[in-house]
Structures are given as C-alpha cells and as structure tokens.
Amino acid sequence: MQYHKPQTFDEAVQIAAAASGVTRFLAGGTDVLVQLRAGIVTPDHLIDLKLIPGVRDITRTEDGGWRIGIAVCGIELGRHAALVADWPGVVEGMQLVGSTQVQGRATLTGNLCNSSPAADSVPGLIAAGARVTVIGPTGSREIAVEDIPASPGRNTLKPGEIIAAILLPPRGARGGDAYLRFIPRTEMDIAVVGCAVSLTLDGDRISAARVALGAVAPKVLLVAEAAAAIVGTALDDKALAALQAAATAASQPITDRRGTIEFRKDVVAVLAARAARIAYDRAKGASK
Amino acid sequence: MSKIHVSAVVNGDPVDFLADPRESLLDCLRDQLGLTGSKEGCGTGDCGACSVVMDGVLVCSCLVLGVEAEGKKVETVEGLADVGALHPLQRKFIEHAALQCGFCTPGILVASKALLDQNPDPTETEVRYWLAGNLCRCTGYDKIVRAVMDAAQEMREAV
Amino acid sequence: MLKVHLWSGLRRFTDGVEVVPVEAATVGQMLDGLVAAHPGLEPVIAAGVSVAIDGVLTASRFTPVTPQNEIYLIQRVKGG
Amino acid sequence: MPKDELKSEFRLIGTRPDRPDGLDKVTGRARYGADMALPGMLFAAVVRSPHAHARILKIDASAALALDGVKAVVTRADFPTGLTGEDWNLQENSMAGDVALYDGHAVAAIAATSRLLAEDAAKLIKVDYEVLPHVIDVDDALRMDAPVIRAGAGDHTVPEGSPPNVSKYIEFGHGDLEAGFAAADLVREQTYKTEATHQGYIEPHACVAQLGADGKGEMWVCTQGQWYIRRMCSAVLGLEASQLRVTPSEIGGGFGGKTIIFMEPLALALSRKAGGRPVKLVMSRSDVLRATGPTASASMDVKLGMTKDGKLTAAHVNFRMQGGAFTGASPVGEALSCALACYDIPAVMHNGVEVLANRPKAAAYRAPGSPMAAFAVECLLDEMCHELGLDPLDVRLKNAVHEGVKASYGPTYAKIGLVEVLQAVKAHPNLLAKLGPNQGRGIASGFWFNHGGETSVSLAIGEDGTVTVSVGTPDVGGGRASIALMTAETLGIAYEAVRVNVVETGALGVNEPSHGSRATFASGKAAVEAARSAIREMCRRAAKEWGIDEEAVEWKDGAAMPAGPNAGKFPPMSIAEIAAKMGGTGGPISGHHETNADGVGASFGAHVVDVEVDPETGRTTILRYLVVQDAGRAIHPAYVEGQYQGGAVQGIGWALNEEYVYGANGRLQNAVFLDYRIPVASDLPMIDTVIVEVPNPGHPYGVRGVGETGITPPLPAVANAVAMATGVRLRSLPLSPPKVLAAIKAKGRA
C-alpha cells in the first residue's frame, strides 16, 4: 500500500488518475482503517486529503449558506456555534457517529462516501438540501447529497472523482431541522433506523419540508410524500399521522442482526413524528 | 512496500520511527516506541482502550495511521503523570477502586483527562456519555464515574 | 455402615438404589466402595463428582466420614 | 450481624487501602498478554474456517512458505494423535482435524518475521472445503434428523434412543413430585430461552511462546490459570508438564473465559517448527468472539407448584443446553444444580441434556449455568406471584433456604445468608421509589456454590521483616489486595509491608485458576495458613533466643512475646528483629501451605431493578439498580462492591442486548464490539450495593467468595421489571427492542 499526501485537490486527482489497483481516500479514516484492519479492503493507494489547505475550514458562503471542508471532524462541527445555530439537525447527525474518540476523526464527507444506508450524518444533510462540489479528471461539478450513495458501500462518484466540500444552503428565517436515530444502547451502535426532518414555517404553518430516512432501504431515502404530508399544516395530529404513514410506506427495510423489517417500519414512523416535532419547535425559535 | 519515516512528539519527547503505511498509530506506539500502555481491545474504534490525544484531540490510536502522526503531538497514558506526582485522575482511580483488571484504565484515564481539560465541572451524565466509547467489562462503570467526578472536584478546588 | 446418597440419575447404575450402604472410614474408601458395589458407577466417579459431607463440599479422599455424617454425591461443579 | 461489630474485631480486614498493583495500572506500566516482546520473536496469524461445518479436503501452504520471512506453518498434522476425552476436545478445538466444526475454527497457523507479513502470508494458504450441513439452535440440534456433528459423542450418561447430538444426560431430585403439585393451589409451566453470550473481557487472548526441540518450553500468557495452560498445552502437544514453564501476565479480564486454552498450543507448535524462536500470537476481537469460549444457549422448561399464600410445594425443571461441538462443554449440570437452590421445596426434580451444535466450545462464564437457570425459575416464580396477588419479595423470603434446610441438589445447607440478604433488600430505600408510567420494578434471587480447589501458597520473610507472598491465582479483580490484607492481619504487620506476587508454574505446586470465586477464599486461606506457619517458626527462634519453651511464646502485634508472666520477662521481639538475625538463627524463614481447599461457603444474592420501557420503540432504560449479596466477610469492601457492580452490569447486558447472532449460513454475524453490544457507561445508572456479612465458618476470616453470584439475578430481575413496565411477559432473552415492541403490539391487538 502506498500512502500519498497531496497538497492540492488537483494533485490528489492526478495521483488517483495515475494509480492502478484499489484507491481509497482518507478524510477522517474511521471506515478505511477498520476495513484495512479487518482485511475487507487493502488499498493499493491511500490518498490522505487532510493536508490540503482549507479542508478543515467551515466558512459562510456568499448566499448565507455554509461551506464545510472535507476533513472537518465531528468535534469541530459541534464547536462551530453559528453553524449549530443554523443547522442543529445536520450537526447532531454527525455527532451521533461513534464515540467521543471517533468524533475526533470522523467526517461528514467520509460518512457520505462510505455510503452506508445507516450513516447517521447523511439524512440530516439530505433533509437540509446539502450539495457537494466534486473535483475530477474532467473538471468540477456540484451534486445533491442524495445523489451520492448508490447502494450499501457504493457511491455514484466516477473513478478519480473527489468531494472537495459540502455546501449547506442558507437556513433562512423560521427554519428548523432535527435528526433522530434508534439504537438499542444509548451510544456506540449503528442506527437501526434514522430520520431527519428539515422544515420552514410561514406563521404556524409549514411552508416547505424535506424528510430523509436512514437504514430502511439500500440507501438513505429522501421521501417527498412524507414532506408533502406536513407541508401546509401546523403539524397537528392528522399531519403527524400522515407523515408516519408516508414514512412507513416509503421504507423497504431488511431484517438483519440490528433489527427486523417490522420493527424498522414501526420505528421509522415513531422517529419521523418525534423529529418533525423537534424541527417544528426549533423553527419556532425553541432553544437549539 | 517500503516504510515511511515519521517524526513526531510523544509525551513531550521527539521521536522517530519507520512505519509501514498499513500500521496504525497504536501499532507504532506499542511496537516501535515501546509505549505499551495504550491497549488494543478491538482494533475497530469500539472499545477506546487505545485512546490518545493527538494535537489536542482525543482519538482512538487504532483509527489513526502511524504515518499520519508526522509532525503531530501525541499524548498517551505514559505522559499523564509528572515525574514523582500522579495526575489527580490517576490517584482517584486508585483511591476509588475504579479499576479491576486495569486493561481499559489507560484509555479511560486519557479520555477522562481530555474531558476535564475542556469541561472542568461535568455532570454524571456528561461523564457517562463522554466515556461511552471506553468499554469496561469489570466495574459496571460506577466507581469510574465517581473517580472522574471526584478528580474534577479536586482539580477545581486546587485552581 | 455409611449411607451414601446418590443423585437420582445414577439409579440406573445401582439397580434402582438411591441410598447406597458402604463400609468406609474416608471419602476415598467410600468412593472405591461404591464402585465395588456397583461397577456401573465407575465412569461416573472417574469423570469426577463432588462429595458433600454435612452440606460442605470436600475435595480430599482422606476426609474422614462416619455413619453420623450426611453424605451426598453431587454433580461436579466448575466455576468461572 | 451489624457490620461495625465485625469490623471492630480486625485491624485491617474491612478497610480499603490502595491496591498494590494500582500504580502500575494507572501509569500504563502493567504488562498484559500482548505487551511482551522477546529477541528474535516471530509473529503468528491463524487461518480460520469460514464455514460452520465443513470437511477439510486439502491445505496448501506452499505459496505462503515461499515468501521470505515466513518461518513455519502448522496444521493438525503437526500435533500428536491418539488423545482421548477432554484432552482430545482441547486439541480438536485448538486446531481442526478432518472437519471444521464452527465458523472461526482454526485450520492452520503461520509464523513470520512481522505481524503484517504473517497476515499477508496467511491469506495465501489455500484450504479446500466440502461444506456440510450445520445446526446452530439448541432445539434444532436436538431433532432426531439434525445434522450429526460427531457420531458416538455421547458419554456414559446418555440413554439409548436419544437424538444423535445428545452428549450428556442428567437427572436428580427428591421428594414426591406428584403429591407436591397436588398440594399446590396454582401450578404453572413455561418454557424459557437464553442466547449464547460472551464474557467480553476487553483484553484479547495473547501469548508469547517458545518451544525447543528438546521439549523445553516457556510461555507468557494472559490466563486465569497458568497451571491449566501448562497441563492442557502439554496434553495437546505431548510435552512433559514440568518442562513447560508458564508465566501469567497481568490479565485484562477473564470471567471464566481464560480458564482453558485456545490458540496457545498453536504458538508453541509454531515455535517448535521454527527452530525454537519465540512466537507471539495475539487474537483479534473477531477471533475472540468467533473462536474462544462463549457460554451456552439454553432452552428450559420450568414447572412450579405454589399454595395461595405463596409456599412452593414442588418444582420440576427440564433444561436443554448446547455448548458448542464438544461433549461436556455446556454448564447444564451447574444450571440444574443452581436452578432451585434458593428455595426450600419439598419435592424437586431436575432433568437436563447437553446437545452438540456447530458453535465454538463453550467456556466457563461467571457462575456457569446459574444465570440461565435463574432466568427460567425466577421469572416463573414472579409470574405466579402476580397471578396470586402476592408480593414477590415476601414470597422469596417465605421460601428462602437457610441453615439446616435440604438443598435442591441434595445435601443439607450449612450456614448461609439468603434470608439476611432478602431482609436487607426489604429495608433498602430503593424499594420506596415511586414508579411512573411505563416503569416497572423487578426482583430476583441468585446463587453460586463457590469453589475451593487446589492451592499452593508460599510466604517468605525478608531481611527487614517485610513479607513476600507467592500465589498461583492471577489477580482478576483485586485479589492481591485482599490476600495482602489477610496476610498482614494474621502477621500483625502493616498492609504495605506485604507484597503479593502472582508467580509462574515453576515457583509453586499446582494451583487451579482464579475461577469459581476462589482466589480470595482459597489463596487467602492458604496465605493465612502460610503466615501461621511462619509465625510458628518465628516463635521458635524467639524461644531459642530467650532460652524458653516454644509453647511459652506467643505472637501478637507483629512480634513474638512471652505467653504469660511465668514464661519469663523479655521485651517483644518484632518480626524485623527476628528477620535481621535469621541468618544466624537457622537461615531463611518462610511459610508454606498446600491444600485442596475445603470449607467453601455458598454466596446468595438478590437484585432489584427499576426500568422504563419506551412503549413506541421497545427500548429499556435502567433507572435504578440494587445489588445485595452475602460476602461472608468483605476483606476489601471496595473490591467486593466492584464484583457486585460488574456482575450486575454483565447480567444487564445479557438481559437486554447481548447475543450471538448467526446467519442462515451458520456464520457469526456480530463478531465486533459494534454489534456485540455490551453495556456502555451511558446505558447505566450508579449500581447501589449492600454487602451482607454472614461469615463462612470454613474460612479463617469468614470469606465466601463474591465473584460470580452477582451475574445470576440480573437476567430475571430485568425481565420481571420489563414485564411489569409493559404488561407483557417475554420468556426469551435478550429483551432486545424489536422483541419487546413486537410483544407490546401483540398485546395491543389482543
């Protein structure tokens, strides 16, 4: 295995293009190292992106959104008060990944590229409408986060393409988001079910919403029907019931060592309602 | 598969070692530098026995490559005590019988110090959640949590 | 004569007898006497049994026993 | 007995000094299994079967051996043949023969000049398998048409006509069962199941082994018992026991799982084949979960008879357990013996079978068998209390065993403390806490025999009057502190003046491992006897010095002194004074004691837990937890509490989330700590403890042994609390959220 330390994204792309065999990128490393140790994937080339200038920065974009560097770890995300104020659901999703120790390494980008359907940080990004900039051999492009995961462990990035930053839209006034996941313990588990809700209010009514579900399909789902169930409502019981029904209906989970089909379909409804309430309260200005 | 030369500062001392790119920082600390205080309980970041602080951030050294330590400052359990004086956490762990087999203890001490460095007055719940990535199978955590809280109090009073 | 209480599963090795009379002064003699009287018990005793004298387990073949003692063979117990 | 009164009798016992190994353990200096390195050391890797059951057709290691730096490959062909009984079991489990018997079964091992090279080379060893049908579940394994794991595996206890995988049959009981059930107002019968769990010690097995062509070997290893390692490795490899010197490292937890061998013979065999170079073998966490010794899974029928005022009249238990693919590995006998041990029941019957399955060879796990048995019996007892409207604590008190009662397993109880334990539970403030919606309280009792065992201890007086004690029981939870306390108490010297060392196999007679809650009991008892023997010698030397009779000298406060006014008038001669002169008074002074320790006292406990269950997700939160247990006497109370708390939390894990999950292919699905879910700090409240002290007359200081009983009550206590919180009764563990939620929903539909 060769270890590379590019100083720019262009250099990283060149290294990747010239490399033969299996190539992996290191943003945080929490997945790559586990796979390496278990002998699941032993890359021929490991390209460490953490030394590229700016990859640990969180900056406000011109439109009032956020640009998050690819090597920003969970702890750094959580310490950024202004970002937390805007997108608490995105941050809490990231902060649920692993332990305190893992938070010192794991990144949004790594969690996204690993493309686990149970990735805790991805539903929040999708609900927020986040996009990523991608740099590759043929130039750069922007992609919506929901278009990155393809299936468990596989993403849609083309060979040699690298995510260069994560872009969050402006939160705007009267918006709120939340992410909840179900695990059997209080910490350290992979999500059995996850649900993120982001919404905007007009008065008491929800004017726009996005609902994303984790661990109930081969990839994290953006469920338009679930969002539609609450848009135009003040999140009354009827709306919540419709949201729950839509979330369950959209889920196509499997039974595995972490949960059953029936359990996941039940709990996705529970979490959808709970997350929606939190997002709604946050939008109304409740403490984040 | 050639090895890479790494220079770092471990517990305040400059060190040099040769790392295979596949070796974790934990492997390098234990096998190259003889610092066997950090333990491997899982190799997957799930048990925390290998906890170290790298450039001020608490990490599992099994989830860091040795080659990534280039130019970094690493603190391990071996660096916790001053010459002749234990860290209050170390004293309180002995006093409260917060260890039985002691295998998880180095990681828990390093993690607890990282907590108290940023939060000198944690609640019981904060201690428990901060240490959720440090598995202990002997104690049921009760005496560990008490020792951390007591050390925190003593350190606050000493300021 | 000692009265040695066997567990009931051993009855098929002792023609249905659950309390076996044995002439012995020590635990070792008692175990040997059991096998002499009921050879079917040999593999059981060879595999290891625990002996309780008046409710307390004893490990020594030399522990003295008298007809006044309550004597039980019980399943060998290991520990964690 | 009030504790203060007990404490006042002693100078040191019952105090809480710093443990002697504390400094090494908080500074990272303590050396565990993987912390050893030797000059010229090689590193080993193991090739393991990916199949639950497969015939090994061919092993081709030529590509691996062709790599520079690869020094040896061993397979079963490198081991002696003709072993029988448990020796064969151990050999077969260490390295598969013709057939791999479980996912993770070792098939070959390799030694090379670096760990990475060994792992790379291991991937080049090609093994051809013929996959065979497998069976995992205990009840499936009992079917007449189940895949046969080993024809003729049953021992002498198995009745003819039993299903082919039955390897053991047990039956015992007393009293008139029919009359007992006839006298009951309520008779209930239920079936309960528990899944296999792992001890989950945080330190993976590790050793450094060296074995020469001359048959002389050395091993550094994390183990609960260095002599067991020596005996088992010698048997498996055909060595002479005394030529193998085994040194125990500090041990990072064992809980029974480090009482037998797994990969240790492979390291020795590799070393022998590599010309005697030392070989280091460290298991990964996955190896530990797949290929060491978890506990059994169980399927259990219980039938109880009870009068309407709560008196038990009869009990019948019928247990089925699988302990892997090896005869005698399950704790079914222990489970049966513990099942009804807490209660005075006129008629009891126990039946049990062990059955083989394609799983790793079960090892002991803290009170082996007792937690499963308690789950079955204590849950049914609780169900019947609720049906009859009786208080579950009062019913337990009403039926509790005490001195003079005939035990369910046969003999009559000597002095025991269950009644005192239950009374202490009744007096505890946790029982007054108000429960909210979706909350429930569960109570359960538990029992473990405790164990004496083969024990050898030496004690040596140093030149300055300080004392070294050599024990053979590795320190798993503060044993050195408690043995130092008892030794210092006996000698009348300072705790700090005693150093207790855990020594290698060459230094003492054969010791059993630190198992069966025996280290403080048995090594402590032997240390006290060794100290007394040294005291006798010191009194003799003082008597000679003074020119008086030996009998006229007594030992008090760390010094020899005339026994009375008639003995003569001499100032006390301290241990330091006697030691300073010992070269001229007859040479070194030591004490020694060897025994197969009798006088074991059983330990009873009772736990009370409050839980809250989320009715929408089925997730259980532990709100409050109380452990009450009879210690006999707490030598170092902090480490007694530690045993109580640790046992309780392991039991909570077993009750709620821990289980071996197998896929349809027979492979273990959760061989990492991410998915083998042991409790983490944030899952738990503080664990309240009460130490009851009903001294054991069989120990000089009243010790019973406290390590194991604590894991017994949590399984039923948590299940009983969840039943109260949800209104639904689950009879299979773990009480994982999907299971609990499904039960809650089924009740809602009913």
Side-chain angles (χ1 to χ4, degrees), chain A:
Chain A
M1 186 176 91
Q2 280 192 49
Y3 173 71
H4 306 271
K5 295 192 287 186
Q7 300 297 309
T8 65
F9 278 107
D10 288 339
E11 190 190 342
V13 168
Q14 280 165 22
I15 294 167
S20 59
V22 179
T23 300
R24 283 286 184 278
F25 297 99
L26 210 56
T30 52
D31 287 313
V32 172
L33 264 78
V34 170
Q35 291 164 2
L36 181 66
R37 189 58 196 267
I40 298 167
V41 181
T42 305
D44 298 294
H45 297 274
L46 187 62
I47 304 174
D48 188 347
L49 304 173
K50 291 196 298 295
L51 299 161
I52 296 173
V55 292
R56 300 185 73 154
D57 295 346
I58 300 172
T59 48
R60 193 64 98 169
T61 53
E62 279 176 17
D63 63 356
W66 294 96
R67 180 189 169 87
I68 301 169
I70 57 159
V72 172
C73 71
I75 285 180
E76 290 160 346
L77 209 61
R79 285 188 186 147
H80 198 291
L83 178 69
V84 173
D86 267 10
W87 293 105
V90 170
V91 175
E92 70 199 357
M94 185 63 222
Q95 291 192 309
L96 286 172
V97 176
S99 61
T100 319
Q101 287 85 339
V102 169
Q103 285 294 306
R105 297 279 290 165
T107 61
L108 284 170
T109 305
N111 204 219
L112 175 59
C113 290
N114 192 48
S115 289
S116 161
D120 276 312
S121 74
V122 175
L125 287 172
I126 292 177
R131 302 175 68 76
V132 295
T133 36
V134 171
I135 298 179
T138 56
S140 73
R141 59 184 180 130
E142 252 188 47
I143 317 175
V145 167
E146 56 266 33
D147 294 332
I148 299 286
S151 60
R154 305 189 70 85
N155 61 45
T156 58
L157 295 177
K158 297 185 187 120
E161 280 192 330
I162 307 168
I163 292 180
I166 291 180
L167 303 169
L168 282 168
R171 173 69 275 188
R174 298 188 55 76
D177 72 334
Y179 173 74
L180 291 176
R181 58 132 187 228
F182 180 85
I183 54 171
R185 291 181 293 186
T186 50
E187 281 281 355
M188 301 306 292
D189 293 326
I190 297 286
V192 181
V193 179
C195 177
V197 176
S198 175
L199 48 78
T200 310
L201 296 183
D202 181 4
D204 282 349
R205 305 237 158 233
I206 296 167
S207 54
R210 284 166 70 91
V211 176
L213 307 179
V216 291
K219 58 180 186 172
V220 178
L221 298 177
L222 175 65
V223 183
E225 299 80 4
I230 55 173
V231 169
T233 75
L235 208 63
D236 52 28
D237 288 351
K238 199 176 143 214
L240 283 169
L243 166 68
Q244 292 190 304
T248 300
S251 301
Q252 311 131 35
I254 57 167
T255 290
D256 65 7
R257 60 192 177 278
R258 294 169 186 149
T260 60
I261 291 171
E262 189 194 9
F263 182 74
R264 287 186 160 113
K265 280 178 164 269
D266 286 339
V267 172
V268 77
V270 173
L271 296 190
R274 289 180 184 178
R277 276 199 210 97
I278 296 169
Y280 186 84
D281 289 345
R282 283 175 176 166
K284 292 193 102 176
S287 80
K288 294 169 179 179

Side-chain angles (χ1 to χ4, degrees), chain D residues 32-203:
Chain D
Y32 294 82
D35 298 340
M36 170 63 81
L38 289 175
M41 188 170 80
L42 302 173
F43 299 82
V46 178
V47 178
R48 297 183 180 279
S49 167
H51 305 294
H53 199 193
R55 190 170 307 283
I56 298 166
L57 302 175
K58 192 179 163 207
I59 301 173
D60 179 1
S62 54
L65 283 164
L67 290 182
D68 286 341
V70 171
K71 300 296 177 187
V73 170
V74 294
T75 65
R76 184 63 173 276
D78 295 283
F79 290 77
T81 56
L83 276 62
T84 57
E86 182 62 7
D87 289 344
W88 182 86
N89 286 336
L90 289 165
Q91 188 184 54
E92 179 78 3
N93 190 43
S94 299
M95 183 72 94
D98 297 335
V99 178
L101 293 164
Y102 54 90
D103 168 36
H105 200 169
V107 172
I110 190 163
T113 49
S114 79
R115 184 180 59 81
L116 289 172
L117 178 59
E119 287 170 8
D120 289 344
K123 288 179 195 144
L124 299 177
I125 296 179
K126 197 168 170 307
V127 185
D128 294 339
Y129 297 98
E130 174 197 346
V131 176
L132 302 171
H134 65 271
V135 62
I136 298 291
D137 178 75
V138 54
D139 290 321
D140 291 347
L142 265 169
R143 293 164 56 113
M144 291 305 287
D145 61 352
V148 179
I149 289 166
R150 195 179 309 116
D155 71 6
H156 57 273
T157 60
V158 178
E160 274 181 45
S162 298
N165 288 322
V166 171
S167 51
K168 211 175 207 9
Y169 172 78
I170 301 173
E171 176 198 314
F172 62 98
H174 58 253
D176 186 337
L177 210 59
E178 235 175 89
F181 284 120
D185 298 305
L186 180 68
V187 175
R188 286 287 176 260
E189 186 170 8
Q190 291 293 352
T191 299
Y192 300 83
K193 279 189 96 160
T194 61
E195 244 317 327
T197 55
H198 195 274
Q199 299 83 356
Y201 33 81
I202 310 299
E203 182 198 24

Side-chain angles (χ1 to χ4, degrees), chain D residues 272-295:
Chain D
R272 183 166 58 186
K273 213 164 176 184
R277 285 176 72 168
V279 172
K280 182 171 191 169
L281 210 177
V282 181
M283 278 186 152
S284 70
R285 177 55 50 183
S286 289
D287 289 348
V288 170
L289 287 165
R290 287 167 75 202
T292 63
T295 189

Side-chain angles (χ1 to χ4, degrees), chain D residues 222-240:
Chain D
C222 62
T223 177
Q224 289 173 252
Q226 54 273 43
W227 281 270
Y228 268 32
I229 295 280
R230 185 179 77 167
R231 173 170 62 76
M232 295 175 184
C233 285
S234 300
V236 164
L237 290 160
L239 308 174
E240 289 174 353

